[in-house]
Amino acid sequence: MRLDKFICKSTELTRTEAKKLLKMSKVTVNNVVIKDPATQVDEDDYICIEDEALTARSFRYIILHKPLATICSNVDEIYPSLLHLIAVDKAFDMHIAGRLDADTTGLVLITDDGLWSHNIISPKKQCEKVYRVWLRDPLKTTTAEKFTHGVQLQGEDGLTRPATLEQVAEKEVLLTITEGKYHQVKRMFAAVGNQVLGLHREQIGPVKLADLPLGEWRYLNTEEVSAFL
Ligand code: URA
């Protein structure tokens, strides 16, 4: 594992703070000062920050089936945070990797590993998200092509990245996108003169919601976690 990741995993420090300490020569690996955050280390290495030894704690990786009227925030607002649904110690120390609107249901990934969630939400990583969408009007024959080409969202420069559309019924589709702009799916359909009446996320990368019941959660398995490492 990278040294900066090991530090984040073993302390409350952010990646930026860890890098700062490395730059300031405050970190030793096996009694040698190391400044490069990408240095590979493992749990057998003796790693200290200002002479204090670190022990790696485990990160947590959770999948939750988000119900309506909950929010992907660490503080309650009009609706309660969905972190209330997770019965683990210090649930509010975790964060959500890719938010959903209060009126959207489906797959949410929750973790305390900032590097891992970065791989899901960073636009550069182009991680695929699959949404089931229920529309006000029947899907037009031109929409799939427009989404492949990219559409202009109101108030944004440039076009959306190529997205894939699969029709399920007259007013129901599966949409795969690789970015996560604010209200992206609703705004994409607004851009082609339609309206989203219902929205549900089924998949992020290779991780599927499958038959996880509404409001329930489970830990991700090793294979699912490593998909975003
Ligand atoms: N796009 C939206 O418009 N809303 C969501 O919750 C997720 C994607």
Side-chain angles (χ1 to χ4, degrees), residues 99-101 104 131 183-186 199:
R99 293 172 173 223
L100 292 178
D101 300 333
T104 302
Y131 291 88
H183 293 330
Q184 174 143 355
V185 177
K186 292 172 185 163
L199 188 55

Side-chain angles (χ1 to χ4, degrees), residues 187-204:
R187 290 163 74 210
M188 283 175 75
F189 280 99
V192 293
N194 209 329
Q195 190 187 339
V196 171
L197 298 184
L199 188 55
H200 177 79
R201 186 158 65 196
E202 298 200 338
Q203 192 172 336
I204 298 184

Side-chain angles (χ1 to χ4, degrees), residues 10 13 22 32 43 73 79 117 166 170 209 217 222-223:
S10 322
L13 295 170
L22 284 156
V32 177
E43 288 172 24
S73 161
Y79 297 110
S117 53
E166 184 192 324
E170 195 189 33
L209 192 59
W217 64 275
T222 317
E223 201 181 321

